[in-house]
Amino acid sequence: MADYVEEVRQEILLPAETIQARVTELGRQISSDYRGRHVFLVGVLKGAWVFLADLARNLTVPASFDFMSVSSYGSATKTSGVVQILKDLEESIEGRDVIIVEDIVDTGLTLSYLVSLLQTRKPASLRVCVLLDKSSRRTTAVPLDYVGFEIPDAFVVGYGLDYSGRYRNVPYIFTLRPEVYS
Ligand code: PRP
């Protein structure tokens, strides 16, 4: 990996091979659970695009995709419990088998809001697939149907997760040296 990453990296939490093996398993499990059906995956921008791209290529059932974008982490609206939709779905999900795909669930605010919102649109079914579960941070309960990894309460980046817009394209998940963000 490039020097610019080694300069800021503290510890590799999840190596690329570990992530790929788990994403392959999740793809198999979802393909088995949805056998004979057509899944509609909703990616939550921006963090989920890397995970969604790999997960999608491990599905053996027909799949379609759409994306949503919600207010960014730490914004005033979010801490107040209100999640703002910046980009909505372009297609109707009524009668479809929907899976929301997220990179990480932290407080649970974003996902609980999205689940409630999408339920009102009458999908045939609605499930949630997250790569990382930081369950020690949860303030709002949210049902998770597929989870890649349980992780500790550390600030992690890579594989879709960013610090100041960077490191999303690093193929593994790592922590930053504290001096980078303090
Ligand atoms: C992250 C993640 C979730 C949310 C989880 O997004 O992708 O959407 O935070 O946090 P919560 O459980 O406390 O609601 P972020 O706001 O960092 O935006 P990004 O995906 O565009 O980086």
Side-chain angles (χ1 to χ4, degrees), residues 70-92:
V70 297
S71 54
S72 64
Y73 196 84
S75 71
T77 48
K78 192 155 167 183
T79 44
S80 67
V82 179
V83 177
Q84 192 188 352
I85 302 292
L86 304 177
K87 183 208 171 296
D88 206 337
L89 297 176
E90 292 174 11
E91 293 182 45
S92 166

Side-chain angles (χ1 to χ4, degrees), residues 46-47 72-73 78 102-104 106-110 162 168:
K46 300 176 184 162
S72 64
Y73 196 84
K78 192 155 167 183
E102 260 285 29
D103 53 347
I104 187 166
D106 189 323
T107 64
L109 265 175
T110 308
D162 75 307
R168 293 193 198 273

Side-chain angles (χ1 to χ4, degrees), residues 27-135:
R28 281 207 194 105
Q29 196 186 336
I30 290 170
S31 301
S32 160
D33 292 351
Y34 287 82
R35 197 183 309 274
R37 289 145 80 188
H38 182 137
V39 291
F40 189 83
L41 274 71
V42 171
V44 186
L45 298 172
K46 300 176 184 162
W49 66 267
V50 177
F51 175 40
L52 180 63
D54 282 344
L55 182 69
R57 286 174 291 177
N58 280 286
L59 294 177
T60 55
V61 289
S64 303
F65 307 89
D66 205 348
F67 297 89
M68 293 185 81
S69 178
V70 297
S71 54
S72 64
Y73 196 84
S75 71
T77 48
K78 192 155 167 183
T79 44
S80 67
V82 179
V83 177
Q84 192 188 352
I85 302 292
L86 304 177
K87 183 208 171 296
D88 206 337
L89 297 176
E90 292 174 11
E91 293 182 45
S92 166
I93 57 166
E94 188 170 345
R96 304 179 97 161
D97 289 311
V98 177
I99 305 175
I100 301 174
V101 179
E102 260 285 29
D103 53 347
I104 187 166
V105 54
D106 189 323
T107 64
L109 265 175
T110 308
L111 266 176
S112 64
Y113 176 83
L114 285 176
V115 167
S116 305
L117 176 71
L118 297 193
Q119 277 298 6
T120 66
R121 300 180 183 180
K122 301 185 173 55
S125 65
L126 180 61
R127 288 188 178 179
V128 174
C129 177
V130 298
L131 181 69
L132 306 176
D133 180 10
K134 213 187 252 189
S135 62

